[in-house]
Amino acid sequence: MDAVVKFTNQSQGRDRIFRATQYACALSIYLLRNNSERKDLVAKLKSLEAVMSSGRKLFRLGNTVNSIDAAKRTMRLSDRVLCLCLTAANINRALYFICDNVLWARSVGLIHNIDKERWSLNASRWYFLSLVMNLTRDVYVILQLMLQKARDKHCRQKMDQHLSENPEVAEVVVPQLDAFLFLLLESLKSDPAVALDTLKNACDLFIPLDRLGIYQSNAGVVGFCGLISSVIGIVTLTQPKLKVKP
Ligand SMILES: *[C@@H]1O[C@H](CO)[C@@H](O)[C@H](O)[C@H]1NC(C)=O
């Protein structure tokens, strides 16, 4: 099992590059949809997108084990909220990968008698829940940072100065809102890892929202958001200090 975990960790970089390519294709296909001269290119992009998507499914075979392993680790976190959010996120992620693996087995003909559409919807459902739990974690961490900043003397002085220097802002907008935004920005600036993770999860959210019909955007939005989140994923892989912990 350790070997599976190690291997899937190693193949993460490849998965992210495949994912970025997949969504870049999706976005380009959307942008070129009305261009009749580029029909050949669109057909090529479509097949590249399909290759990336099925290639990623193969690399993801070990991810169920990987997610269960991660859940075991996050279960031991001493912070109750973090423990709950991250463990739930990892369990939902494991369930998502089970559905994903079943779909892979069907696509290569290992199993036949399953309803593809139902399993695919279930996969999106677990993925969505995992993202919601991850976002809850991000909001919790940001709120804690904001509370810390509000108590911090140095930061309070800076805030008072900011509010007195921009009286018109404070008058037009509710002063509390201005103070809230100031604390929010200061918190995000002080912890870019959380800021990036929030952006990444928020972008990812558009994919299952669209798939599940909760919020229907279009292929362009899904492609764009998927590309942004994949690029953030690559950045955090190459710059480990930008990855949220735990
Ligand atoms: C939720 O966060 C964990 C830890 O950062 C990450 O491993 C996982 O991929 C995230 N889940 C989703 C669905 O992105």
Side-chain angles (χ1 to χ4, degrees):
M1 283 301 145
D2 279 355
V4 176
V5 172
K6 202 166 155 219
F7 176 77
T8 45
N9 278 337
Q10 278 168 352
S11 53
Q12 257 191 30
R14 191 170 29 199
D15 179 69
R16 303 237 164 122
I17 290 170
F18 272 46
R19 188 173 191 260
T21 313
Q22 183 190 341
Y23 284 111
C25 286
L27 181 59
S28 316
I29 292 166
Y30 177 78
L31 295 174
L32 293 170
R33 71 193 181 287
N34 292 329
N35 193 330
S36 52
E37 287 156 30
R38 296 288 172 83
K39 281 222 161 69
D40 282 354
L41 178 61
V42 169
K44 275 186 195 136
L45 286 171
K46 274 189 180 150
S47 65
L48 181 60
E49 188 194 5
V51 168
M52 290 295 141
S53 164
S54 55
R56 287 183 60 218
K57 277 207 181 353
L58 180 60
F59 292 135
R60 281 198 300 236
L61 282 180
N63 279 2
T64 309
V65 182
N66 196 290
S67 301
I68 293 170
D69 192 62
K72 276 199 241 155
R73 255 180 293 121
T74 52
M75 254 164 74
R76 287 190 227 113
L77 290 173
S78 55
D79 187 313
R80 286 275 174 80
V81 180
L82 283 184
C83 170
L84 192 76
C85 290
L86 288 174
T87 308
N90 281 319
I91 292 172
N92 287 325
R93 191 164 170 267
L95 291 167
Y96 158 67
F97 283 124
I98 291 175
C99 297
D100 188 66
N101 294 347
V102 168
L103 285 167
W104 174 81
R106 186 190 183 275
S107 71
V108 296
L110 284 176
I111 45 178
H112 300 282
N113 43 0
I114 64 148
D115 183 349
K116 184 178 170 203
E117 186 56 22
R118 225 188 75 211
W119 280 86
S120 162
L121 273 179
N122 279 333
S124 295
R125 231 166 255 148
W126 296 123
Y127 181 59
F128 174 69
L129 286 176
S130 172
L131 283 174
V132 169
M133 292 324 289
N134 273 1
L135 268 173
T136 311
R137 184 273 294 270
D138 291 333
V139 170
Y140 171 72
V141 172
I142 292 171
L143 284 178
Q144 273 192 330
L145 279 173
M146 285 172 72
L147 279 178
Q148 235 174 50
K149 300 249 171 241
R151 283 194 218 104
D152 179 57
K153 237 197 191 138
H154 174 72
C155 187
R156 278 233 301 270
Q157 275 168 2
K158 226 171 121 185
M159 179 162 82
D160 290 339
Q161 194 187 352
H162 164 83
L163 292 179
S164 62
E165 271 171 11
N166 304 290
E168 65 291 342
V169 179
E171 270 166 38
V172 180
V173 188
V174 198
Q176 280 92 335
L177 181 64
D178 205 32
F180 177 86
L181 289 179
F182 178 83
L183 284 176
L184 178 63
L185 282 180
E186 287 292 309
S187 307
L188 293 177
K189 264 193 264 172
S190 72
D191 196 341
V194 170
L196 270 184
D197 196 59
T198 312
L199 180 61
K200 176 176 180 288
N201 286 325
C203 283
D204 274 336
L205 208 55
F206 281 93
I207 302 164
L209 279 180
D210 186 70
R211 179 76 184 84
L212 295 171
I214 301 172
Y215 175 78
Q216 220 111 49
S217 39
N218 60 44
V221 173
V222 171
F224 180 74
C225 290
L227 181 58
I228 298 282
S229 94
S230 309
V231 170
I232 296 177
I234 293 172
V235 170
T236 55
L237 213 59
T238 52
Q239 306 278 323
K241 66 173 191 298
L242 288 178
K243 176 135 183 65
V244 272
K245 289 172 204 77

